[in-house]
Amino acid sequence: MTSIKGPAPAPTSFPGSEKLRIGIVHARWNSEVIEPLVKGAVESIVKAGVKPENIIIDSVPGSWELPIGTSRMIAGSQIQASSNANDLMGGATSLLDGEASTTTPTTPKKSSGPLDAVISIGVLIKGQTMHFEYIAESCCQGLMRVGLDTSVPVILGVLTVLTEEQALKRAGVGRQDGDKGHNHGEDWGFAAVEMALKTGK
Ligand SMILES: O=Nc1c(NC[C@H](O)[C@H](O)[C@H](O)CO)[nH]c(=O)[nH]c1=O
């Protein structure tokens, strides 16, 4: 029996999306999964009509820092992006290369103005201790709070998985049983644009 789980199909049109500014804050832990998730989200956001230069991307060390990193990105109305989707789409630098995400980009595109939604992306993989549970709970509660406190939609892009293969499959890069899985980043991108339009000023 096929699973009934999964998101409803995303809307096919997003009128007004050309004016939107969308943020992405991603953790740098488990970067082999983070990278396809970020790329999938960016591709969906662009497909929905948002200009690449209006997609502001930044990173934090790990998922524990996602709530404060997301809060600071929303608060900073003048954002000198550590990168934006032009870099990613152009392949100029890997956003997840430790260097790129901490050094100022060669040709930063200034981007200013309030953000209409933010996607917070992290990958938590259960280890042998309770660390996973504490970070996962705090991170999710924190992200919910940032969204409610700021009235800027915060899309939950945090995978909380029990095995590496579960993470890889949810980024569309699964390695086992010939099933690459589905890139959840693509869904988060569409959710961000939909919520930005629904809550727009
Ligand atoms: O431990 N595992 C993980 C992790 N730990 C680091 C934590 O988020 C934080 O950056 C440090 O504790 C410093 O504050 N961060 C993740 O994103 N995924 C993990 O699987």
Side-chain angles (χ1 to χ4, degrees):
M1 183 180 112
T2 51
S3 169
I4 61 171
K5 273 181 70 207
T12 50
S13 75
F14 299 88
S17 60
E18 67 284 352
K19 295 193 278 304
L20 295 178
R21 293 182 73 250
I22 306 288
I24 296 177
V25 181
H26 67 81
R28 294 193 295 272
W29 264 69
N30 305 314
S31 56
E32 201 165 326
V33 181
I34 291 281
E35 186 154 353
L37 289 172
V38 172
K39 287 190 175 176
V42 169
E43 285 161 7
S44 291
I45 295 168
V46 171
K47 245 184 235 161
V50 177
K51 297 191 184 98
E53 60 268 26
N54 287 338
I55 303 174
I56 313 308
I57 301 171
D58 216 330
S59 71
V60 291
S63 296
W64 177 264
E65 285 79 25
L66 282 173
I68 187 68
T70 302
S71 176
R72 297 308 305 144
M73 179 179 265
I74 291 170
S77 60
Q78 295 291 333
I79 294 175
Q80 174 72 41
S82 70
S83 60
N84 65 29
N86 277 325
D87 303 326
L88 187 66
M89 308 292 269
T93 54
S94 154
L95 297 183
L96 302 167
D97 163 357
E99 289 309 307
S101 56
T102 49
T103 54
T104 43
T106 45
T107 54
K109 272 207 170 179
K110 259 200 184 303
S111 174
S112 64
L115 292 172
D116 298 293
V118 180
I119 308 173
S120 305
I121 296 180
V123 176
L124 283 158
I125 302 176
K126 172 73 180 160
Q128 292 168 338
T129 68
M130 290 291 289
H131 199 205
F132 165 90
E133 284 82 355
Y134 293 118
I135 299 178
E137 170 67 13
S138 303
C139 173
C140 293
Q141 290 290 347
L143 291 174
M144 171 65 82
R145 208 184 88 199
V146 170
L148 295 174
D149 289 354
T150 64
S151 298
V152 173
V154 172
I155 303 302
L156 179 63
V158 180
L159 296 184
T160 50
V161 295
L162 303 179
T163 67
E164 292 185 10
E165 182 60 19
Q166 283 181 352
L168 290 164
K169 277 199 166 51
R170 284 155 182 77
V173 291
R175 295 181 183 151
Q176 290 169 10
D177 43 77
D179 172 12
K180 284 190 177 299
H182 167 68
N183 187 342
H184 287 223
E186 297 168 6
D187 307 325
W188 303 336
F190 288 125
V193 176
E194 178 183 347
M195 289 309 295
L197 292 170
K198 274 201 162 84
T199 56
K201 310 250 174 334

